[in-house]
Amino acid sequence: MGESNTRARIQRAATVLFRRHGYSATGLKRIAVEADAPFGSIYHFFPGGKQQLAEDMIRASGTEYGRMVLALLDSVPDPMESLVRAFAAAADDLAAADYADACPIGTVALEVASSNEVLRTATAEVFEEWVGTATQWFGRWVTEPRTAQSLAYSMIMMLEGAFMLSRAARDPEPLRVAGRSMAALLRTAIAPAGED
């Protein structure tokens, strides 16, 4: 029980620190301190060191975040309302975290895209997973698969961009606007032909 608890504390600390400060600015010593774990335990659980720990964090938190977003989207039957609510929940969570905790992989993805192939691949695979899940979700209301996929890409792009704008401005409004915009896009996509 003790080993799995230590590993979990290391993973939680790494997730928070990578999300808030990025990959380069997060050192293993800081992770060990935040996890209240001996420094050597990081290499015990993650022999590949910081890169392996970051890859683990990207994959685990990316999957968990994707599930959370899907649960929000499924929380009400009306898809437009659920989009507005999901983005509003993200806005509330970001404001409650004093604009420090946004997407679990967005900060790292921007930083490593051209400098670390292992981590770039991990972030790309998480985004691909999110696009696939969101495409299926939009496919409940949009019959054309390409349109459903375009909406999925749009949702993820709006979410990531709105996180960036909200963090920079320390204002949740960009996330709320993005939610309303996504609802409008979906409304347009499911409107019967000839109804504008």
Side-chain angles (χ1 to χ4, degrees):
M1 183 69 167
E3 275 205 4
S4 65
N5 188 33
T6 301
R7 187 179 204 282
R9 286 195 325 268
I10 291 169
Q11 287 173 310
R12 278 192 303 274
T15 298
V16 169
L17 292 170
F18 286 138
R19 180 188 296 183
R20 289 183 179 178
H21 307 293
Y23 180 71
S24 297
T26 301
L28 290 179
K29 288 181 183 175
R30 176 111 186 253
I31 292 170
V33 168
E34 294 291 324
D36 193 26
F39 181 78
S41 64
I42 292 176
Y43 285 101
H44 172 73
F45 295 112
F46 303 95
K50 184 176 173 179
Q51 180 174 280
Q52 183 183 359
L53 181 56
E55 182 181 12
D56 178 83
M57 179 279 300
I58 289 165
R59 293 184 187 283
S61 64
T63 298
E64 182 181 322
Y65 191 74
R67 284 189 198 122
M68 182 195 72
V69 170
L70 185 60
L72 281 169
L73 292 173
D74 284 339
S75 67
V76 293
D78 178 77
M80 277 68 79
E81 182 184 348
S82 68
L83 284 164
V84 170
R85 283 183 181 212
F87 277 80
D92 293 344
D93 288 347
L94 185 62
D98 198 28
Y99 301 92
D101 292 330
C103 171
I105 66 164
T107 303
V108 175
L110 285 172
E111 182 182 357
V112 302
S114 61
S115 62
N116 186 312
E117 187 61 16
V118 170
L119 299 183
R120 185 207 61 78
T121 299
T123 58
E125 288 172 1
V126 167
F127 283 131
E128 183 178 334
E129 179 184 321
W130 291 357
V131 168
T133 301
T135 298
Q136 289 176 354
W137 187 83
F138 283 110
R140 296 179 196 171
W141 294 279
V142 177
T143 57
E144 172 56 43
R146 293 184 82 147
T147 302
Q149 186 181 50
S150 291
L151 287 164
Y153 278 123
S154 295
M155 183 179 75
I156 293 164
M157 291 182 298
M158 282 194 198
L159 183 63
E160 294 300 328
F163 272 136
M164 192 180 321
L165 290 172
S166 288
R167 287 182 81 185
R170 298 185 62 79
D171 181 358
E173 189 59 18
L175 280 158
R176 289 183 169 73
V177 170
R180 293 190 300 268
S181 296
M182 273 311 307
L185 280 175
L186 179 57
R187 188 175 296 110
T188 299
I190 62 177
E195 185 182 300
D196 289 323

